[in-house]
Every structure is written in C-alpha cells, then in structure tokens.
Amino acid sequence: MLASSSKITLDLQSNQLETQISIKPDVQSRDVDFSEILNAIQEIAKDMNIYFDELEGVNSPSKDDDSLLHHGNLTSTSDDASRLETAGEGVPDKNKSNGLYFRDGKCRIDYILVYRKSSPLTEKREVFERNIRAEGLQMEKESSLTNSDIIFVKLHAPWEVLGRYAEVMNVRMPFRRKIYYLHRRHKFMNRIERQISRFRGWLPRKPMRLDKETLPDLEENDCYTAPFSQQRIHHFIIHNKDTFFSNATRSRIVHHILQRVKYEEGKNKIGLNRLLTNGSYEAAFPLHEGSYRSKNSIRNHGAENHRHLLYECWASWGVWYKYQPLDLVRRYFGEKIGLYFAWLGWYTGMLFPAAFIGLFVFLYGVTTLNHCQVSKEVCQATDIIMCPICDKYCPFVRLSDSCVYAKVTHLFDNGATVFFAVFMAVWATVFLEFWKRRRAVIAYDWDLIDWEEEEEEIRPQFEAKYSKKERMNPISGKPEPYQAFADKCSRLIVSASGIFFMICVVIAAVFGIVIYRVVTVSTFAAFKWALIRNNSQVATTGTAVCINFCIIMLLNVLYEKVALLLTNLEQPRTESEWENSFTLKMFLFQFVNLNSSTFYINYFCFFKPLNFLFTLQCHPSGCLIDLCMQMGIIMVLKQTWNNFMELGYPLIQNWWTRRKLHQEHGSQRKTSFPQWEKDYNLQPMNAYGLFDEYLEMILQFGFTTIFVAAFPLAPLLALLNNIIEIRLDAYKFVTQWRRPLASRAKDIGIWYGILEGIGILSVITNAFVVAVTSDFIPRLVYAYKYGPCAGQGEAGQKCMVGYVNASLSVFLVSDFENRSEPTSNGSEFSGSPLKYCRYRDYRDPPHSPVPYGYTLQFWHVLAARLAFIIVFEHLVFCIKHLISYLIPDLPKDLRDRMRREKYLIQEMMYEAELERLQKERKERKKNGKSHHNEWP
C-alpha cells in the first residue's frame, strides 16, 4: 500500500457552500478508521471556526422568521452553542452578558440593523435578509427591552466570509515585522549624542507625549502589509483568527456586503442605503466596544476596551495638552475620521507660531503706545472740533475725546502690522505645503499610498430620473443611466442663478446693516444716558455686529436648505459628486454670509461720496477699530455657538433619552441594557458626515488669514478654540454619537482646494487691509513727502509731527443742508457758534476755487496705496511659489523608506514562497514520494 497524504472533502450542500478539509499527512493508509476521520474533521472545523449554525443559517427560511427572534433573552444559548460546550469548549459568561457577542458568547457582533415590526415594507426586508444569509453572514434577532416594536438584527461575519471579501476589497494586512536599520555614525557624533542624552536626563520628560504603557501595541504599524490573499494565507501573521481583522475592518467588510445584497428582483434593487431611505430599516451601525467608563484605573488595571482607552487618552479633558493617539483613532473610527483629526491637530500645531507672532505684534503696540506721535496728537488736540458723524442729533466733538480709540487703534495698527500680514500670507503657504508632507507620511503609515477608491455606485435619485436613457460605462463595460449634456447644462445654469440670487440676499442684508448704522447712530446720539450718548458710534458698531451675527445664523439655516435643493436639482451622478457640489455651495454661502460685512468695512468705508462725508465715515481714529470689533465679536460668538451646537445639543438629547428610560424602566434596568440598545439610544452621526466639522474649521481658517492684519489676535483665539475643539469632537465621537462606519480616504478631499483658494485670497485682502483700511500708507507718505523729515529719507516718530492736522480737512458749518444741520451750534466749545469743523479726508477748503475737491496729497496717498498693493501681492506670491517649489510634497526619508520597503517586500515574498516549497519538498521526500523535475 502506497504511503501518501490522503484528502477527505466534505461537501456541504447548503446554498452551494463547499468546505474543503484536509487531513494531516500522518495518516499512512487509505483504510482509515471512520472515528479518526470524524475526530480530524472536528478538530480542523474547530481551528477554522466553522460552526454548524452557520450552515443551518444558510438553509434557514426566507421569511422574517420569528424563530430567530428572542424577546430580550440575553443569557440563553442556542443548541449549537451547547453542542460546542459539550465538545469541550466553554462559553465565556462575560461575552454573553456584555452585548458584543451572539448568544453563544463566541460570535462577535459586526453590525446592527434596526427595524420596526409595524413597518409595512416586510417583503423587501425578508428578501434582503435571506440574501444576507446566502452570502454567509450569520444572523440573530433581539427585541428591544424598552419597545417591543423595535427589532435588532445582529450580524456576524465568519472567517471564510471575511477572508473572501478581504481579498476582493484588497484589504491590506500585516505579514512580516518591519526591520529598522540604524545608520553608522562617526565616533565623534556618538559622543555628542551621549552628552545630549545625558543632559536631557536632567530635563523633565516630554509632557505632551502619551504614556506608551497605556497604549496597545498596534501591530499593523510595525509590520509590512500586503493585500490579503487566501492562497498566501501562510505569509500573514495570524495569531488568532477572531482578532486578525480589527473590529472596524470587520464592520467595513459587512457593510460592503450589505451594500451589494439585493432586496428585490430587478437590475438595481440592491443595497442597504436604499432600504434605509425607504424606511425598511430604521438604523444601521457598528457597535461601540463596550462602555467608555470603568471603575478601575487605567494605569493600574489597563483599559477595558479601545473605546475606554480613547476616552482616557484622547477625549478626557485631563489630556488636553497631549498629542492625539491618531493610530488608535484610525483603528477605531477608520482612516477618514483619523485624517480629519490629523489635519485638525496639524492645523492647531501650526497656529502656535502664528499666535505667538500675533501676540508679539499686539504687545509691540502696547510697549510703543506712549511713544506714538499720532495718538499723542489726538489726545492733545483739544482745540480741534470734529464735525458731527450723523444728521441733526449728533453733536460737535473735540478730537481729543477719541484719545482712547486712538490708543486702541495703535495696538493693532502699528509698524509691525505689515510684517505680520506678510508673515501670515507665507504661513498659510507653509501650512499647506507641510500638511501635504504630513499627509504623505500618514498615508504611508496607514497603507493609503496605493489605495484607490472603488467605482462608486450611482445615486438612486439619478437612477430613477434617467433610467430610460442608458449608455455603456467605459470602466465597467455595463449599461448605466445617462444624463444628456443639454439637460446637465440647463440644471447647472439654474443652480448658478440660485447661488447668485442668494449672494444678492447677503448683500441686501449687509445694506440693511448699513442703513441700521446710519439711523441708529442718531438715536444713540440723542439718548438720555450720557454713557451711550458720549459713545454713540461704539454702541452703534457693537449692536450692528450683534445683529449681523444673528442674521448670519438665521441665513445659515436658509442656506442649508437652498444648497440642498440646488444640489438635488443638479442631479449629481454619484455620492462623491453630490458631496462635493453641496460642500462648495455651502462654503460659498456661509463664507459670503460671514465675511460680507467685514468686506464692507474694509473697502467701502474708504470710498465716500460728497453727500455722505460724515454719515459713512469711520471713527476719527480710523476704520481699523471697526474692522477689529467686527472680527473679534463674530469670531468669539461664532465659535462659542458652534461648540454649544456640536456638544451641548447631543448632550441634551441624550440626557432627555436617558431621563425617559429612567422614568419608564427605572435605574436598575438601565444598567442591564445590552450594547446595541445603548448605542441605539445615542445620536447618529451627522447626515453630511464630517461636513460641519470641516466647514467650521475652514471658516475659522479664513478669519485667521483673510483679515488677520486688522486683528493680530485672531490666531491666538483660533488656537485656544481648537485646543477645546479637539477634545469636544473627541468626546462627541466617543461618548455621544453612535460609532460611525470606518471609511477609508487618502486626503481631506475638496477642502484642500478651498484652503488653497483662501490662501490666495488672503494675500489680496491683507494687501488691501494694510493699504486701504489702516493708516500705514498715509503716514508713510506724510513722513517722506509732507512731514518735517520730507526729503531726508527718514520715517521715525519725529517725522510724524503734524500728521493729524494734515489728515483732517476743513468744512464750513453754514454749508450743512437743512435736513442735516445739527441741532447744536457748537457754542459750548468757544462761547460762540462754530464757523468751521474738521473731518477725516484729503479735500480742499471751502473757499478754494474748487470747494471740497481732492488735494494733491490725496492723489499721492492713492498712488502709494495702489503701488503698495501691487508690490505686496507680487512679492508675497513670489515667496509663496518659491516655498512651494523648495518644499517637496514627499519627504526624502519617506521616499527612501518606500523604495526600501518595496524591495524588502519582494524579497520576503520570494523567501517565504521558497521556504514553503522547500518544506513541501522535504515532506514529500520524507514520505518517499518522487520529486524529480521539481524546482528548486
């Protein structure tokens, strides 16, 4: 009898499922005892995690079977589980009760579907669930403990299903630990490093780094990875098949299957999303990994689960100063959410130098305040009477009354303002360039370099609209619905018209604010309270900003509905096209809505017709103080409101849900709720995904860069807000929201292009802020052309003597129109009616040949402003392009690591295959089998 390795194939005729089980080559005879065969089959089935209940589930009825439904029975076990227990495998009691496993305590729940018994769409759901079982997924059902109408469908993917679809989805898994090479260095360098390390021993440990003892060893970060293949399964590091695929990966695989399962006979009647849209299912989500709180300390007893670890090391307020555990965030929430927090952390880190320089500019203004010649002249100008700033009720005022505002203006408008404007324009470029490098490193560490998005499915709305016209897809070669070019263009034109109309609504709102300022300043000037009457312009500006903020928040609600309507009108083909179109519209609407009044103050306050010399003029100290107040108030209020809506609103909703459960079932029953019930009572993630989080930060980035020359403290406020924002978002994701599906992404998408556009716009706006809004250019022109140092090439404080008087024009009081003539004649200043008053402009006196015409100094200042804008923009753009050219998108060491890894992977795969072939050769030689003409 020839000695050979016998194979026994067990054909399981259950929905065309065939499992091949090979007996080890220690069987030396074909006359094998049947009991030995059964033992070998049972042992291998145990190793491969093949359960008989899976086979029964495939052959289970196609109805919405009540035999799968257990009314809140969390402790009972199935017959299969009891059979496995009798086979010698105990079922952990903890797994039965924590709500993360099936009733057998071994099959982990990978996905949850929720529906109501009262839902009329039963037939579609039955077909869908029957096809789910046909795909090999295991299923259990539980009724809700709080509402018997709610049914939870628990899904589990066995090893065979995970392996099959992981290969289809090209999921990269670890197969060999990384080898790190240390470069040889000179002895002198080694001595220096030893001395530095000895010196560092005296310094405190890096407080911002997380404690490595509390973080798990994430194996995939220290291993080379390759697309999973069942044929080469021996290459991969598999310690335990139950934990080889992470929970996030398992949920993603199950979601991939659910998106491709049919629920009705037809060409396109597939996918879970359509069933969620039509109400067949109420919710679908993966489970959180248990509770985020624990009675035991994480330092002494370790973390209960990854959710608990994320809460302690990331979402807790006590770690606000530490780095984020991005690898753990990515492992739990997926690459898309991980990239958002990586970008937010990088943006926050890059705000540190900007905040420091902005604070330095502000402190420079504080230290030079007593030496500022302009503010001194304003404070000492008791004999200069300024014209009223509104009709009738506004009185004549001394210029010295604006002493405080002149000093405050100097804090933001000083010699360092131009430097800070250039710095922030360059900073925006450096931030984006270094983010590209940082993204490349993250993409390498997270195996996103070679990842390509799958061919997206067509949106059901697009499919229903254009199902009659089809054409061949050039990629898949299959027929698909087609939108005619004329139809697409007409829809885009209508959408663009809607966008233009909404922008006109914003402009109308700004015009309304301008009218409010014109009317209200007169009201405040005639107010009974002396405090408001004496500070009428500040009160007008402050109330106008607050009203403008309220209008902004109300219009944002309207804009979201309009953007949704216009985007659906365009009928985008795929979900990514719909998301990009909606994102662009919402950003345009909210950007124009938030910054329109700021643009008005920055530009249009400067250009005034003769009839509105006083009505639209800024404060005697300049327009910059108005712009500073506008930015400061809106920025603080906007960020405060956003933080409340992001965290406060979900907290209130979840508190109300817990309160109702406590009233209905008592506090003791609440602790016994399974995990799926607890997660169902949490708030679902925003329907638009990370849109709101990105939009808030992008708008803040615009505030930080576009008008930053007028408000140098904007980066500091943004930094403080972002430190809070990171922990708020982390707390929200970990504790208040259901666990989102772990999605993959290579970058931050369309938001990067928007950031680049804001960076370009910031150069232009800051040039106009310095040239138009601030007094930098008029002072410079006066110092070099009209001041005491004219022609000497100097521009110090001594050269600014007489600047205030030179920047004010004379107005004849008798030239006031009847409707604008003030009620006061100014006799309280000199005992007799005033003949002349001053206003801020460069115009000829009333008795000149051309009364109130522009002076030569005005044209010099205007030419200098235009020249400065051109020179500033060209210089900064050249610096930006030079920086972009000098900073490569991919770090050199990363490029070398990628080449090295590619080479090592090829060598390792070759060595592993060679080792396998040699092992097979030895086994055949040992068994006496011929191996002539074999390689190697």
Side-chain angles (χ1 to χ4, degrees), residues 768-784:
F768 274 89
V769 168
V770 176
V772 177
T773 311
S774 76
D775 282 348
F776 176 77
I777 298 299
R779 293 176 186 178
L780 210 62
V781 171
Y782 178 81
Y784 284 103

Side-chain angles (χ1 to χ4, degrees), residues 294-332:
S294 176
K295 298 179 180 178
N296 302 321
S297 172
I298 191 174
R299 293 185 176 275
N300 299 330
H301 298 83
E304 298 287 338
N305 49 64
H306 282 167
R307 189 187 185 193
H308 178 216
L309 184 62
L310 279 172
Y311 178 77
E312 294 290 341
C313 298
W314 184 47
S316 176
W317 292 106
V319 294
W320 64 269
Y321 59 92
K322 290 189 177 290
Y323 294 132
Q324 301 182 84
L326 293 177
D327 291 327
L328 191 60
V329 175
R330 170 246 182 174
R331 184 185 180 94
Y332 194 83

Side-chain angles (χ1 to χ4, degrees), residues 3 23 45 48 83 94 145 237 249 271 355 368 423 475 493 722 762 774 813 852 879 898 904 917:
I23 296 182
M48 296 295 291
R83 183 171 68 249
K94 183 178 179 181
L145 297 177
I237 304 174
T249 304
T368 60
F423 171 81
I475 298 175
I493 291 173
N722 287 6
S762 67
S774 76
V813 175
Y852 306 113
I879 296 175
M898 291 171 60
L904 289 176
L917 292 174

